[in-house]
Amino acid sequence: MSTPTISPITSGQVTDSPDVLLRPLRDPLGDRVPEQIAQQAIHQAQAALGLLRPAAPPPTARPLASVRGEPPPRVVLGFGLGCDSSAILARWLTDPTSRDFDLSEVAVVSGMTGQEWPVTRRLVEEHLLPRMAAAGVRYLQIARRGPRQADGVDILSDTRSPDRLHMVGAWTLAHEMFDGATVPQTAGDRLCSQHFKAWPLDTVIAELTQGQPYRHVMGYELGEARRAERDAKYNTALRTGEYPLREWDGGWDRARAQAFLRKTFGVETWAKSACTYCPFALANKAGRVETVARFVDEPDAGVLALAMEFVATALNATQGLLKGQRLLSLLRASTGTAAVLAAFERQLAELPWAVYDVRRTLSPRTDGKANHARSVRILDVGPPAQMRARLEQRARCAGVPVTVGDPAFPDDIHPRAWLRRREPQLLADGTPTAEQFLTLAPATARAKTGPAFPAAWAAASQLHLTV
């Protein structure tokens, strides 16, 4: 099978759709689809991508306060489902000499981001959960309930006889990414981990331990000294971080943890825990090779990652999952990826699309960097060909061309009608600047205006008189 090609649509490929063009257009920006219709399109698109939020939590779910139903644990293991924390848990289960506490005194807690690789589910459910159930180990699976901390945390499962992973909660990382038309960021703090693991885990552990001292066990291996040192800074009078892999038998690195799991369970490799769209997994050559192989084996996971990046880069060309490159380009250049690319092509054709009005401001800071603020509005929704026709129509009404791609990213394929370009010299001189364009993409991103945007847009739109 030849590798499918997803090409940029040029104006010569577009046939004016009567359904679109019968709708009068008096203003390139003022005529907008009603909000209710836009929300229906977003709901349809996210549902098609498997992101339909459950109407109710799973039958096993409990309120946060329910975790106080047992005496507080002496030991809490942050179980990330990957190789390192799995090796700790497996050794505790099979070698009593590896611990100085009874398994009845342990609580194992996992924060679910929502889109783990299916192989991770298979490994944990087949090899670890049965042993945990046999030993009566308490296992809590938790997830965010909504985008705000005020929405709270769901206890997806709290049991001493676990038999399955509850991977998807009411609000997943993919919901946050698609709603905001972005991808997880590799620069700065790992906000994805903070939002979906650190904060929910801290919230549940505080409730679980009921103000009593506890040992917080983390799966940092021998090569992760900096992570362990950073974690230890969060110790308090109640919380003491512990890192068994760094202490056992002179220290266990990742290879030794893998060898132990291989010997214990007979698995060749315990897969690294990560979201299917994790940019950190794509940050080096080895990670890219491994990720591409995973997409070859599990094409559906690749479709979600490609769709997330596709929408994000339409609204912001810098938002690729690989630095300076698109995941789409990587898969096109790789062998064996025909199935995932074909599935992605089909998905794009089936989703409702939208014409988006994107405005962005850049305001200078004293440290030489800039604060960014953005406003996204949905102007039209419909099938992709109709939305391309509507983009062309709005561009003609505004008196601007539709251009394809961004010169800074050779593999960018998105059409845009630029209404305003940022002026770097203004920013260099300490003056705010802004940009605005129309583009089209699958209708997965919600309209949103950041709280800082109105004032920043007004400041960037001031007339500057030269005397």
Side-chain angles (χ1 to χ4, degrees):
M1 181 184 295
S2 61
T3 302
T5 300
I6 301 171
S7 302
I9 306 172
T10 64
S11 57
Q13 294 174 286
V14 175
T15 301
D16 286 347
S17 167
D19 293 339
V20 171
L21 298 183
L22 284 176
R23 289 163 45 196
L25 182 66
R26 298 177 301 274
D27 183 275
L29 300 175
D31 299 316
R32 295 169 55 191
V33 67
E35 180 65 19
Q36 181 181 3
I37 295 177
Q39 291 302 316
Q40 289 173 351
I42 292 170
H43 179 84
Q44 179 185 344
Q46 291 197 4
L49 290 167
L51 299 175
L52 188 62
R53 296 184 67 183
T60 55
R62 302 180 182 182
L64 177 61
S66 69
V67 303
R68 288 177 171 255
E70 296 190 32
R74 288 180 53 210
V75 179
V76 178
L77 170 64
F79 181 36
L81 310 179
C83 171
D84 300 330
S85 56
S86 294
I88 293 173
L89 183 52
R91 191 175 185 197
W92 283 356
L93 291 166
T94 59
D95 179 8
T97 66
S98 66
R99 48 185 166 82
D100 58 359
F101 49 84
D102 190 81
L103 291 176
S104 63
E105 301 175 292
V106 177
V108 178
V109 188
S110 294
M112 298 303 190
T113 59
Q115 287 80 34
E116 276 278 355
W117 290 93
V119 66
T120 298
R121 175 193 287 276
R122 293 194 294 269
L123 287 169
V124 174
E125 289 185 345
E126 181 177 347
H127 299 292
L128 281 173
L129 295 192
R131 293 185 183 236
M132 293 171 69
V137 174
R138 188 180 183 187
Y139 184 31
L140 297 92
Q141 302 176 57
I142 67 175
R144 291 186 74 116
R145 187 177 295 149
R148 304 168 304 161
Q149 290 189 1
D151 296 322
V153 176
D154 279 329
I155 309 299
L156 303 177
S157 177
D158 179 3
T159 179
R160 289 187 178 272
S161 55
D163 60 358
R164 60 168 295 191
L165 291 180
H166 300 274
M167 311 291 282
V168 182
W171 182 255
T172 70
L173 178 56
H175 286 116
E176 185 168 298
M177 297 297 101
F178 276 102
D179 269 18
T182 188
V183 298
Q185 305 299 302
T186 56
D189 296 331
R190 296 180 65 156
L191 295 180
C192 53
S193 293
Q194 291 184 21
H195 288 183
F196 288 86
K197 291 195 174 184
W199 176 77
L201 287 170
D202 288 346
T203 301
V204 171
I205 291 171
E207 194 79 13
L208 184 66
T209 54
Q210 304 175 40
Q212 298 299 308
Y214 67 99
R215 297 154 63 179
H216 193 182
V217 178
M218 307 291 285
Y220 298 140
E221 46 98 356
L222 190 61
E224 295 181 307
R226 293 181 62 182
R227 294 186 71 187
E229 291 167 1
R230 183 169 60 247
D231 180 80
K233 294 179 180 178
Y234 294 98
N235 286 341
T236 66
L238 299 179
R239 188 253 192 199
T240 302
E242 295 186 1
Y243 322 101
L245 293 180
R246 298 181 51 76
E247 300 161 2
W248 283 340
D249 312 324
W252 287 26
D253 58 11
R254 181 71 46 79
R256 190 165 180 183
Q258 284 282 8
F260 177 78
L261 292 168
R262 186 179 306 115
K263 179 180 179 181
T264 303
F265 299 124
V267 296
E268 182 60 31
T269 301
W270 196 278
K272 181 177 176 61
S273 171
C275 295
T276 57
Y277 43 80
C278 179
F280 294 95
L282 296 163
N284 56 56
K285 183 177 180 180
R288 291 191 287 273
V289 170
E290 180 182 357
T291 301
V292 169
R294 284 184 167 193
F295 286 149
V296 170
D297 291 338
E298 304 186 75
D300 287 347
V303 170
L304 186 68
L306 287 168
M308 180 184 292
E309 180 189 67
F310 190 85
V311 177
T313 53
L315 275 63
N316 185 346
T318 68
Q319 291 290 292
L321 284 166
L322 285 78
K323 186 176 181 179
Q325 186 187 353
R326 306 287 186 255
L327 173 63
L328 177 58
S329 299
L330 173 65
L331 293 182
R332 281 173 159 177
S334 303
T335 59
T337 57
V340 64
L341 289 170
F344 176 53
E345 217 172 39
R346 289 192 299 271
Q347 186 76 83
L348 286 183
E350 294 167 1
L351 291 175
W353 282 50
V355 174
Y356 287 98
D357 171 26
V358 182
R359 292 178 291 166
R360 183 177 292 106
T361 63
L362 295 87
S363 304
R365 300 187 336 199
T366 55
D367 62 2
K369 298 181 180 179
N371 288 326
H372 294 245
R374 188 176 77 169
S375 173
V376 173
R377 299 192 307 163
I378 296 174
L379 303 181
D380 302 286
V381 293
Q386 289 186 5
M387 292 302 95
R388 179 56 193 254
R390 193 63 164 179
L391 176 65
E392 294 275 3
Q393 188 182 33
R394 288 185 180 276
R396 286 195 298 270
C397 186
V400 298
V402 172
T403 59
V404 175
D406 185 316
F409 298 91
D411 54 354
D412 183 60
I413 60 175
H414 298 290
R416 300 179 182 91
W418 285 90
L419 306 179
R420 179 177 179 179
R421 298 271 190 177
R422 69 176 68 176
E423 299 178 74
Q425 188 56 50
L426 285 179
L427 196 62
D429 293 340
T431 302
T433 186
E435 63 187 18
Q436 182 178 16
F437 60 87
L438 308 182
T439 189
L440 71 157
T444 59
R446 299 187 185 277
K448 181 179 180 181
T449 297
F453 178 81
W457 182 261
S461 301
Q462 293 288 330
L463 290 176
H464 299 282
L465 300 180
T466 301
V467 180

